[in-house]
Every structure is written in structure tokens, then in C-alpha cells.
Amino acid sequence: DIQMTQSPSSVSASVGDRVTMTCRASQGISSWLAWYQQKPGKAPKLLIYAASSLQSGVPSRFSGSGSGTHFTLTISSLQPEDFATYYCQQANTFPRTFGQGTKVEIK
Amino acid sequence: EVQLLESGGGLVQPGGSLRLSCAASRFTFSNYAMTWVRQAPGKGLEWVSSISHSGGRIYYADSVKGRFTISRDTSKNTLYLQMHSLRAEDTAVYYCARDSDIDGYFDYWGQGTLVTVSS
């Protein structure tokens, strides 16, 4: 199975900050990577697919990059509604696997 | 807008069975692969099972293989997850999700249904 490792596990940031988080795959997955946002008590929401493609309706302050084993999600200017937990997920092979999450907290 | 509505969760004793349903609407159900993802209380997301648009290809996580069965009924626009031999570690919110036009990415999710396995 492909292991997905996210870092950091949590980050404290202020509104307006630029926030970057990382996801590493235990083996190459080309660009078969998605990012999801999850708020407490809610279902996850797809933000980015194919490593860097913005899902329809997602604000452009979210961007993804990377390929192979190293990926990043960047929020260019953090907004109040962005405080949440973010998960990466590989779609290269079965079983699909998620990272353990990065929680973005208010500083 | 796409709608996915899960049902069937509840409290069940260890070793028991439960069937989850996911009613899909506002899209052509037969055109999309579907997936179950679960989340134990306070934990991260865990992929459980996926089924292709035709039902011809099915995949399971090792943790549920042999105990859970995914299926779909196109006439009812409904996805199912039959769960047997339930264990305490199966306690979680179970989400159904639609695979996007590119299989493997989950673009719409239901609100989830809680399964609690406890005596």
C-alpha cells in the first residue's frame, strides 16, 4: 500500500497569512493526488485534484503543486473560513490512501 | 446540485451486521464510480471500498475484506454497504462519495451516517 505522510500535523496562522503544507507518498504516484478540506462535523470537500487542478467553485487562493512523491497545498491569504483540517489522498492505485491530516488553527 | 444521502447507521453489537444505503440524486448514477470512506471518532479519513460505474470492478480495504460487501442498484439510484462481523474498530462515520469524472477523486460526499459497534 502507498503511505501518505502529511506535515506539519498542525499549523497556527493568522488571517491573511500564507500557509503551506506538505504531503509525501511512499512511492511515486505521478500527479494522482487530491486535497480535501474538512470542517468539524462536516463531510470533506474536494479542493484540488490531479495535484494542481482547482476543483470548480474553489477559491483561487488555494493551489497545489508537485508530482512523484512530494506535493504541497498552499493557501495564499488565509481567510476565516479556511480554518479546518486538510487531507491529501492518492488516486494512483488501490487501496486509496489518505494522509493523516494537517489542522490549520487560529493563531 | 448532486445529492448523496446515507442511512442505515446505528448501534450494533460486536459480531453483528448492518446495511448502509446511499441514495443518489441529481446526476446520472450509472455513469459514476462510487466509494465509501469512513472516519473513526477524532481520527482521519479511511477509504473503505469502491465500485465501478457498472459494478463490474470492486475494491476493498484489507481491514474490511471478507466482511463488507459494496453493491449498487441503478434502478434505485442507491449504493449499499453490507457489513458483517462488525468490530469495535469499525465504529465510525461512514460517508458515501461520488468518484469524479476522473476515477479516484471524490467530488461529492454525503453527510455521513454513524455506525457504533459496542456491547
Side-chain angles (χ1 to χ4, degrees):
Chain A
D1 298 1
I2 298 175
Q3 309 303 316
M4 307 301 292
T5 304
Q6 291 184 242
S7 60
S9 56
S10 66
V11 57
S12 295
S14 302
V15 172
D17 284 353
R18 181 182 181 89
V19 174
T20 297
M21 62 194 76
T22 295
C23 177
R24 291 186 183 270
S26 61
Q27 62 190 76
I29 58 170
S30 185
S31 296
W32 289 97
L33 186 99
W35 290 97
Y36 299 87
Q37 176 193 69
Q38 187 180 33
K39 298 180 180 179
K42 300 294 186 181
K45 173 186 175 182
L46 178 63
L47 300 176
I48 301 284
Y49 64 94
S52 60
S53 296
L54 195 67
Q55 174 68 358
S56 176
V58 174
S60 59
R61 62 181 180 273
F62 291 93
S63 64
S65 65
S67 67
T69 62
H70 185 212
F71 303 87
T72 60
L73 175 69
T74 298
I75 309 172
S76 60
S77 178
L78 197 66
Q79 298 302 300
E81 59 269 31
D82 300 337
F83 291 97
T85 300
Y86 294 84
Y87 294 94
C88 63
Q89 174 242 324
Q90 64 84 14
N92 184 67
T93 58
F94 287 98
R96 308 301 193 203
T97 44
F98 291 88
Q100 81 280 13
T102 292
K103 186 174 184 180
V104 177
E105 299 174 301
I106 301 172
K107 193 171 187 179
Chain B
E1 166 116 339
V2 166
Q3 286 197 340
L4 298 169
L5 185 62
E6 300 97 336
S7 60
L11 175 63
V12 60
Q13 292 189 338
S17 299
L18 212 54
R19 188 178 82 158
L20 306 183
S21 300
C22 172
S25 60
R26 302 182 185 178
F27 69 100
T28 305
F29 182 66
S30 60
N31 285 355
Y32 291 86
M34 298 293 294
T35 290
W36 289 97
V37 174
R38 69 184 180 183
Q39 187 169 36
K43 302 297 184 182
L45 301 170
E46 180 187 15
W47 172 83
V48 173
S49 181
S50 293
I51 185 169
S52 64
H53 69 97
S54 66
R57 285 173 288 135
I58 287 174
Y59 306 90
Y60 296 102
D62 284 347
S63 58
V64 307
K65 199 173 295 182
R67 300 187 299 122
F68 290 11
T69 302
I70 191 172
S71 62
R72 62 192 298 160
D73 186 336
T74 300
S75 68
K76 296 181 179 179
N77 286 349
T78 301
L79 175 72
Y80 300 101
L81 187 68
Q82 178 68 56
M83 304 184 293
H84 294 296
S85 303
L86 283 161
R87 307 165 179 166
E89 55 265 35
D90 295 318
T91 294
V93 174
Y94 285 73
Y95 296 101
C96 70
R98 189 185 84 166
D99 283 53
S100 71
D101 290 338
I102 306 172
D103 282 359
Y105 302 120
F106 314 130
D107 60 353
Y108 287 94
W109 298 63
Q111 84 290 349
T113 187
L114 176 62
V115 172
T116 303
V117 184
S118 175
S119 55

